[in-house]
Amino acid sequence: MSNIMVINMGLKSIRCIIFDQKGQKLGSAALAINTAINDKQVEQNPEEWTRKAVQVMKKALWDAGSLRIDFITVTASASCLVCTAKDGTGVGRALMVSDKRAGQEAEQIAGMPEFARIQKSIDMDSSASLMIPKILWVKENQPDVFSGSAYFLTPNDYLIYFLSGVFVTDYLNALKYFYDPVYKRYPEELLEVLQIPLNKLPKVADIGDRVGTLRKKLAEEIGINSDVQVVLTSYDAICSFIGSGVTEEGEASDVSGTVTVFRVFTRKKAQIKGNGIYDLPFYLGENRILGGSNNLGGGLIEWVKQCYYQKEEYPYEIMEKDAAESEPGARGLIFLPYLLGERTPIWDDNARGVFLGLERMHTRKDMTRAVFESTGFIDLDIIEAVNRAGVEVQSVRLSGGLARINLVSKIKADILGRDICVLSEFETTASGAAMIVLLSQGIYPDMKQVAERFAKVRMIIKPDMENHRRYMYMYGLYRDTYSTLRELFLHRKDIMQKMRNDREVQIENL
């Protein structure tokens, strides 16, 4: 019986979960991660990651009864830049995915002929959330950090090095550096013009490769067997998709932790240009993963809690009760959920959160309901982009922390007008990483069999089609609100630059 330890680092916490090969959770532990944030920057401290990684590994191992571990893997947020010294320590703080400072650099790259030559192959636009624009921003604005860095890594790569001593990334994380998965190479011409050394990017390996064994000193510190194999999986959005057990054409997964990850299984080659979504090849089975991630999903609920429910003993229960006492459509109130700008599908770093339609009659109940409903509109936005790409979404599997709020799940079913399958296992990111390990190491023959063990459906929610009809009116208003305000968001950006408000705020749960 093989046991797998998964380190899962999201945007607000780092967790360690131990599974056996039958999908049983043997032990777990979690700690919050601090985030430094202002209008443009979103940063975390890599030294906090490694310190807390050791703590949660120890706690999870103790929780599991100090058993033997056969494999260990990491899954973490993508498109976060960790500048790393030769010894693997971080140089300064990490620029997280929703950090917006590289917008100008992204535009510069988008206009370069060297980028145009690779863009057709990688099917990806240049944006501030991606790795090469972030690295270029560091080069232009933090030259000491740039010159003092031996490697530019994602959190996945950084933690894999911490475990194994090997600088390596998987091909899906490498896509965030404009890596070409067909020709299997980084954009060398572009890097040369930008004067970003190719040798500072991690080597690329296949998902499921063994990269080495756990470092002996670290194994002794944790109290774990030293022959545990370190296996490369991928970033959290991919692992959560696998962990959702999606295996049929048109099946989708919504995994809403801090962010919402919405992706669809297909064997088709989609027409994604101009639709704001990704079409990713997944070599384990030659399947394709269509969709993307936004900037805040469950994180919206944390924001509501901080604003309106801090003094409540049971904030989530009261929040759900309040929202249920409003009505579908929140009595005419719309919420744009773009508190950190937005990624899929609108890709607008300047967008911000907005309540539209506030009246004297509205209370926190309606405002909370409007935020709940915005999580369904997020999904519908992505579904419409997927439909335009030529793939029809049939049903949705739901997991992540937000799926613990039953009213949110019901609202999503009504907004989408589709069956919602709520999974028994909410931690699909960690379970998906374990599933990839088991599949790649030959313990299971195919994805369907391992999914039957790990991804069980707890309940199916049928949509209320009368509510769906009402929500379509509100969704039209939701879309029109963003379209109308898009230019005003740019105007706001100009005003904020003149006001120079760079005050930094520390947030424990993003």
Side-chain angles (χ1 to χ4, degrees):
M1 178 72 70
S2 295
N3 297 319
I4 309 99
M5 175 180 279
V6 179
I7 298 171
N8 173 20
M9 194 181 76
L11 295 173
K12 71 175 185 177
S13 66
I14 185 165
R15 299 178 287 282
C16 180
I17 302 177
I18 299 171
F19 298 93
D20 67 18
Q21 70 183 54
K22 293 182 179 179
Q24 297 299 310
K25 192 183 294 185
L26 306 177
S28 64
L31 289 169
I33 296 288
N34 292 291
T35 303
I37 185 170
N38 66 21
D39 188 55
K40 292 182 179 178
Q41 76 179 51
V42 184
E43 295 182 337
Q44 291 183 2
N45 184 356
E47 291 183 4
E48 182 183 0
W49 300 347
T50 51
R51 183 177 72 253
K52 290 185 174 177
V54 171
Q55 293 175 29
V56 294
M57 284 191 282
K58 283 181 175 180
K59 289 180 180 179
L61 196 63
W62 179 85
D63 189 38
S66 299
L67 74 174
R68 174 182 171 79
I69 302 296
D70 298 281
F71 306 104
I72 185 168
T73 191
V74 173
T75 180
S77 301
S79 297
C80 307
L81 174 61
V82 190
C83 299
T84 310
K86 284 185 178 179
D87 63 357
T89 57
V91 181
R93 295 193 295 198
L95 279 66
M96 305 307 287
V97 59
S98 48
D99 190 290
K100 306 168 190 68
R101 287 172 288 179
Q104 187 174 338
E105 287 73 18
E107 290 179 9
Q108 176 187 338
I109 290 169
M112 296 173 64
E114 291 83 6
F115 180 71
R117 284 195 284 271
I118 65 170
Q119 190 177 17
K120 290 181 180 178
S121 178
I122 63 174
D123 265 342
M124 186 178 293
D125 293 329
S126 178
S127 79
S129 69
L130 297 175
M131 297 296 283
I132 299 300
K134 281 186 168 72
I135 295 169
L136 184 58
W137 182 88
V138 171
K139 178 176 176 286
E140 299 296 334
N141 295 275
Q142 298 177 344
D144 290 343
V145 172
F146 182 84
S147 60
S149 299
Y151 292 98
F152 300 115
L153 305 177
T154 71
N156 242 69
D157 316 334
Y158 177 78
L159 290 171
I160 285 287
Y161 173 80
F162 175 70
L163 295 175
S164 67
V166 178
F167 288 108
V168 66
T169 193
D170 65 278
Y171 68 88
L172 289 177
N173 262 303
L175 281 171
K176 309 299 184 180
Y177 299 84
F178 303 136
Y179 177 81
D180 188 325
V182 177
Y183 293 99
K184 298 187 176 181
R185 65 188 183 197
Y186 284 116
E188 295 182 22
E189 288 184 9
L190 178 64
L191 294 172
E192 186 175 351
V193 172
L194 297 175
Q195 297 183 318
I196 296 173
L198 176 63
N199 62 7
K200 290 193 175 187
L201 305 189
K203 292 182 179 179
V204 182
D206 283 339
I207 292 170
D209 280 1
R210 297 189 187 190
V211 300
T213 55
L214 190 64
R215 290 190 296 116
K216 186 176 180 181
K217 187 176 179 180
L218 182 58
E220 290 172 354
E221 183 179 1
I222 297 167
I224 196 172
N225 49 291
S226 60
D227 60 343
V228 57
Q229 295 291 316
V230 180
V231 178
L232 194 64
T233 51
S234 192
Y235 59 89
D236 50 6
I238 299 301
C239 289
S240 65
F241 178 81
I242 300 301
S244 297
V246 174
T247 59
E248 300 295 332
E249 179 71 33
E251 274 191 319
S253 75
D254 166 346
V255 185
S256 291
T258 302
V259 307
T260 290
V261 179
F262 193 97
R263 283 179 161 83
V264 184
F265 177 93
T266 185
R267 295 181 179 88
K268 300 177 182 178
K269 182 69 173 74
Q271 303 298 318
I272 68 166
K273 190 169 181 61
N275 286 319
I277 55 177
Y278 289 126
D279 178 11
L280 303 177
F282 193 69
Y283 294 152
L284 293 178
E286 295 293 333
N287 302 309
R288 307 196 74 82
I289 302 172
L290 197 65
S293 306
N294 80 335
N295 275 339
L296 281 179
L300 295 168
I301 308 305
E302 294 300 314
W303 172 74
V304 171
K305 183 183 78 171
Q306 290 165 2
C307 287
Y308 305 123
Y309 295 88
Q310 277 192 337
K311 295 182 180 180
E312 302 288 355
E313 186 176 358
Y314 302 103
Y316 301 105
E317 289 82 352
I318 299 299
M319 203 181 300
E320 184 173 14
K321 179 176 180 293
D322 274 1
E325 290 176 1
S326 182
E327 61 185 39
R331 295 200 287 175
L333 196 58
I334 285 288
F335 178 68
L336 294 189
Y338 308 140
L339 302 181
L340 291 174
E342 189 57 297
R343 289 185 282 161
T344 310
I346 65 172
W347 296 96
D348 188 344
D349 291 335
N350 302 312
R352 288 297 181 272
V354 172
F355 279 108
L356 176 77
L358 272 172
E359 298 185 45
R360 180 62 183 83
M361 66 177 180
H362 287 127
T363 68
R364 78 171 185 180
K365 295 179 180 181
D366 305 305
M367 297 174 81
T368 300
R369 176 88 188 198
V371 174
F372 278 21
E373 290 175 351
S374 75
T375 68
F377 294 146
I378 287 167
D379 281 1
L380 193 54
D381 251 0
I382 300 176
I383 285 175
E384 289 201 344
V386 169
N387 289 345
R388 290 193 298 270
V391 175
E392 183 67 33
V393 175
Q394 302 298 333
S395 62
V396 179
R397 287 177 165 238
L398 202 62
S399 63
L402 193 54
R404 298 177 190 272
I405 302 176
N406 289 333
L407 180 59
V408 171
S409 302
K410 179 67 173 75
I411 287 171
K412 286 187 174 184
D414 290 351
I415 288 176
L416 303 184
R418 292 169 172 85
D419 287 358
I420 294 288
C421 303
V422 183
L423 300 182
S424 298
E425 177 56 68
F426 293 108
E427 298 273 6
T428 48
T429 303
S431 62
M435 289 163 66
I436 292 172
V437 170
L438 292 167
L439 186 61
S440 65
Q441 304 308 308
I443 296 169
Y444 282 91
D446 56 51
M447 191 65 73
K448 197 154 192 171
Q449 287 194 35
V450 70
E452 287 173 357
R453 289 286 190 178
F454 279 78
K456 293 180 170 60
V457 174
R458 178 168 63 89
M459 64 176 176
I460 298 175
I461 301 175
K462 296 286 185 180
D464 181 322
M465 297 310 291
E466 178 58 29
N467 283 347
H468 175 68
R469 183 183 65 80
R470 295 172 182 169
Y471 277 129
M472 287 305 94
Y473 294 128
M474 299 304 290
Y475 177 65
L477 182 59
Y478 171 92
R479 292 295 303 273
D480 289 345
T481 301
Y482 168 69
S483 298
T484 302
L485 294 178
R486 187 163 46 196
E487 293 301 318
L488 277 180
F489 289 138
L490 279 169
H491 184 43
R492 175 193 177 276
K493 176 186 176 183
D494 292 340
I495 290 173
M496 294 304 293
Q497 287 175 339
K498 291 173 184 175
M499 294 176 67
R500 295 182 176 276
N501 181 14
D502 293 327
R503 184 171 60 88
E504 182 177 284
V505 176
Q506 291 284 334
I507 298 175
E508 184 177 72
N509 275 326
L510 183 61

